[in-house]
Every structure is written in structure tokens, then in C-alpha cells.
Amino acid sequence: MKSNSITTIMTKNVVCISPEQHLLDVKHIYEKKKWHHHIPVTKNDVLVGMVSLIDFMYNIAGAGISDDNKIYKELKVKDIMTQKPFYLTTSATIEDVAKVLAKGYYHAVPILENNKIAGIVSTADIIKFFLDNSK
């Protein structure tokens, strides 16, 4: 397992958001099916933050599902994101990411290559990998 590159299981073509986008954009991303619960925040292609579903839900408490609620248009991503997020690079192995996620501090890890987002790996991705390989 030590030689299994994280690039073999990471989600590629990651949708990122900018710090200046409004929460309405985040809402629309979360409304899509099969979405990771974490969205990388980039500025000029550099990772500057992460928004988790928990960050989002905490900050919109009571806003409901209507796009017309003012909170979605007043708050911006920079107001709720976690700054300077943890990340690994494409040189990481599946074991490296599994060890990080097993500690419980993170539920997804952005994967960078040449300082740009190359992918993201969630706890679910790691579990699926181990289940698929335990047969």
C-alpha cells in the first residue's frame, strides 16, 4: 500500500470557489448530487481556504432553502472559510492520507501539484479503497 499514489483514488476536476463568491454559489454547489462535503477556496489558482458543509450550515442557520434569503447574498466565502487549510501533494500515498484522516481533524484533504489543486480525497474515498481491496 505504501507505493499506492493518492492520485489513483483522488477526485480530479475539483470545483473550487473564490473567497469573493457569495454563499448562494456555495448553496448551489451543495444542492448538486454526489458532492464532496468540502470545497477548496482558491485565489489566483492558489489554495487559500476550505469550506465544509458544517461551516456552511452553521453560518446559514435558519436561512431555509429559498435563494432569496439575504444571508446567501450578504455573506461571502471568505467570511466562513477555514484559512490556510491542511493539504498534501500528489507525491503522497494512500497510506499518508489515511493516516491524516484517521486522526479525525480533517474529513477531506486537498491534493496539490505545483501549488495548484489537482484533486481532493475524503474519508469516504479512503474507506471505499480499503473495502474494494479487502476482497
Side-chain angles (χ1 to χ4, degrees), residues 3-114:
S3 63
N4 287 337
S5 172
I6 197 59
T7 61
T8 61
I9 69 165
M10 70 184 188
T11 299
K12 299 170 177 83
N13 303 318
V14 179
V15 173
C16 298
I17 51 178
S18 81
E20 296 303 319
Q21 284 181 263
H22 287 95
L23 291 196
L24 184 60
D25 296 328
V26 176
K27 177 182 178 287
H28 290 158
I29 290 170
Y30 281 131
E31 289 172 338
K32 295 179 186 213
K33 294 180 182 178
K34 295 184 180 180
W35 188 258
H36 271 284
H37 291 168
H38 296 78
I39 306 170
V41 182
T42 58
K43 185 174 183 177
N44 300 320
D45 290 329
V46 175
L47 180 68
V48 295
M50 288 284 281
V51 172
S52 71
L53 181 58
I54 292 171
D55 296 331
F56 177 73
M57 296 302 290
Y58 178 79
N59 284 281
I60 63 147
I65 60 171
S66 172
D67 286 358
D68 295 330
N69 191 295
K70 67 180 183 173
I71 195 97
Y72 296 125
K73 296 172 185 159
E74 288 178 355
L75 280 181
K76 292 187 176 184
V77 169
K78 67 182 177 182
D79 298 324
I80 71 164
M81 72 181 192
T82 298
Q83 296 183 28
K84 300 178 184 174
F86 178 83
Y87 65 87
L88 290 171
T89 67
T90 53
S91 64
T93 64
I94 293 170
E95 183 179 16
D96 295 334
V97 178
K99 285 178 179 178
V100 167
L101 293 174
K103 291 179 182 175
Y105 298 123
Y106 311 107
H107 299 287
V109 177
I111 306 297
L112 304 185
E113 183 171 56
N114 298 321

